[in-house]
Structures are given as C-alpha cells and as structure tokens.
Amino acid sequence: MKKCLKPVLLLFTFAFSVHVQAQVHFGIRGGILSSSANFSETTAGQTIKNRTGALGSLVAEVRINEGFAIQPEVSWVQRGWKNALLISIPFLGSSETIYAEQINYLEIPVMAKAGFSAGPARLDIIAGPSFAWAINGKQKTTTINTTANNQTSTNSTERDLDFDEDFQKADFGLQGGLVLSANLGSARVFFDGRYLYGIKDLSRDEDVKITSKGVALSAGVLFGF
C-alpha cells in the first residue's frame, strides 16, 4: 500500500509545485463503469460479459494554457467481468456456470487534455496512461441447471479473490475520451466519457492472457475558476 501511495503524493506535489506557472484547479468526479475483459482463448460455449461498477475520483487539473492541460487523478474503481460457460446436452437439458469477478482498484490516470472554449462551454479530448492496484475482490459463482422440460435450479457461492493465485494485482492501460464542461461562477461542471484499454496481462495462467477493458461515464466539478 505504501508503494501505491507514493505515486499519489508525487502527482499532487507536482500539481502544487507548478501552481506559480499554471492555473491549478481541484475537484471530484463520480460515475459508473461498464467493464469486461479480453481473453486470448475461449472454449466452445464460453462467453465474456460486461459487469457494471462504480467509480469515484479526486481530480487536479493543471492548465498550461487555454488549449492544453494535464489532469492527474486518484480513483477508486470497481472493475470486473462475467465469464459464462454453457453446456447443453440434447434432450436432457443444459448447465450454465457464471463466474462473476469484482475487483476494487486504486487507480491513477494521468490525462492530457486538449480542446477549445465557446462562451462558458468547453470541449476537450483526453488521453493518457493509467496505473491500477487491486485492493480486494470477490468471485461469485452461479450455476443454473435447466432440464429438458424447462425446469431450472440455481446455486450460488461467493469467495474472496486470492491475488497470489487468481489474478495479478497490478494493471496498466490507456484511457481516452471526451469531456464537455461549463463554467458556473467559481466552478466548472463537467461530463466525461472514456474508453479504457488494458495492456498488462492479469492472468496467472500461462495458457490464457486476460486484459481489462471498459467504458466509463461520469460527472464532476472543478473548483477555483
């Protein structure tokens, strides 16, 4: 955890250090994230589905000039996916097992922002790298058995993820999207849409590579305008 906090302190130290040369604004951001994963290999009957989680961020915008800014963030993010395996036997029925992974991350994106203003409104393109560290996680396993005459039975179990065996704790990726904002007195309200693309392999299985992906929608406010 101490190693995770060092980049956080460095980011905000940087924001304070450039205050005399650039405009620095601080704020918050919150929203939802529809996340999933890319699997290098899947078997017959296996599908990977999205899972919806929440996110919350502390934001520092370092505005270099009218058209460009750097925006470091410290975020708490719920990510995950659903790994479903369906086995069907003709005239007998089917069995579907769904492994729902939920992982809570401390995430540090550093976004470059480039755009323009039109009156009180502003449109920016954002892009940059993101480092994430898993804090904890759970796996919920649900089995749905369906007979030939459509009678179903469901069984569910839940366990804590073991990051020494299940998945890698660290993740690294890229984020990019659009921000629409508007000045409201001494604050700027913004709406943010991003695509997240993971680069680092999260799997501990040498035969299968797993990388994260997702779409985030959020809103927030920056103070000090």
Side-chain angles (χ1 to χ4, degrees):
M1 182 59 70
K2 290 183 179 179
K3 291 182 179 179
C4 294
L5 291 177
K6 286 183 180 179
V8 177
L9 295 175
L10 287 174
L11 285 173
F12 281 89
T13 300
F14 167 76
F16 280 114
S17 66
V18 300
H19 188 276
V20 295
Q21 300 178 347
Q23 292 180 318
V24 181
H25 308 104
F26 296 93
I28 56 174
R29 166 178 166 256
I32 59 173
L33 171 63
S34 178
S35 60
S36 186
N38 291 315
F39 279 59
S40 60
E41 294 183 12
T42 56
T43 61
Q46 181 182 9
T47 56
I48 310 301
K49 303 177 181 180
N50 284 29
R51 185 184 181 108
T52 301
L55 66 90
S57 302
L58 298 176
V59 179
E61 183 195 73
V62 183
R63 182 149 296 281
I64 308 302
N65 54 45
E66 175 60 25
F68 183 76
I70 300 294
Q71 182 170 298
E73 304 173 359
V74 178
S75 305
W76 173 83
V77 181
Q78 285 184 328
R79 290 204 230 149
W81 61 87
K82 294 180 181 179
N83 183 4
L85 180 61
L86 177 63
I87 300 174
S88 298
I89 302 176
F91 309 110
L92 293 179
S94 65
S95 177
E96 183 178 29
T97 303
I98 303 171
Y99 301 95
E101 318 288 353
Q102 178 182 305
I103 305 175
N104 298 319
Y105 284 95
L106 174 67
E107 187 175 74
I108 304 175
V110 181
M111 299 288 99
K113 299 174 69 174
F116 62 91
S117 298
R122 181 177 180 86
L123 180 65
D124 284 288
I125 297 174
I126 57 173
S130 176
F131 171 78
W133 184 264
I135 302 171
N136 53 46
K138 291 184 178 295
Q139 181 188 76
K140 182 178 180 180
T141 303
T142 302
T143 303
I144 305 172
N145 296 312
T146 305
T147 63
N149 58 358
N150 290 325
Q151 292 183 335
T152 62
S153 61
T154 303
N155 181 55
S156 296
T157 60
E158 189 174 282
R159 69 178 181 88
D160 292 332
L161 288 176
D162 184 346
F163 290 98
D164 291 327
E165 297 182 2
D166 296 315
F167 303 106
Q168 304 284 348
K169 271 201 165 188
D171 191 14
F172 178 78
L174 302 173
Q175 298 186 12
L178 294 173
V179 181
L180 179 63
S181 60
N183 280 341
L184 293 176
S186 61
R188 177 180 287 273
V189 177
F190 64 87
F191 299 92
D192 181 316
R194 303 183 188 183
Y195 180 76
L196 292 70
Y197 180 78
I199 297 175
K200 187 178 185 299
D201 183 10
L202 302 179
S203 176
R204 291 192 178 276
D205 185 346
E206 295 182 356
D207 297 326
V208 179
K209 181 179 179 180
I210 302 174
T211 55
S212 60
K213 64 178 180 178
V215 175
L217 298 175
S218 65
V221 59
L222 288 168
F223 300 98
F225 284 87

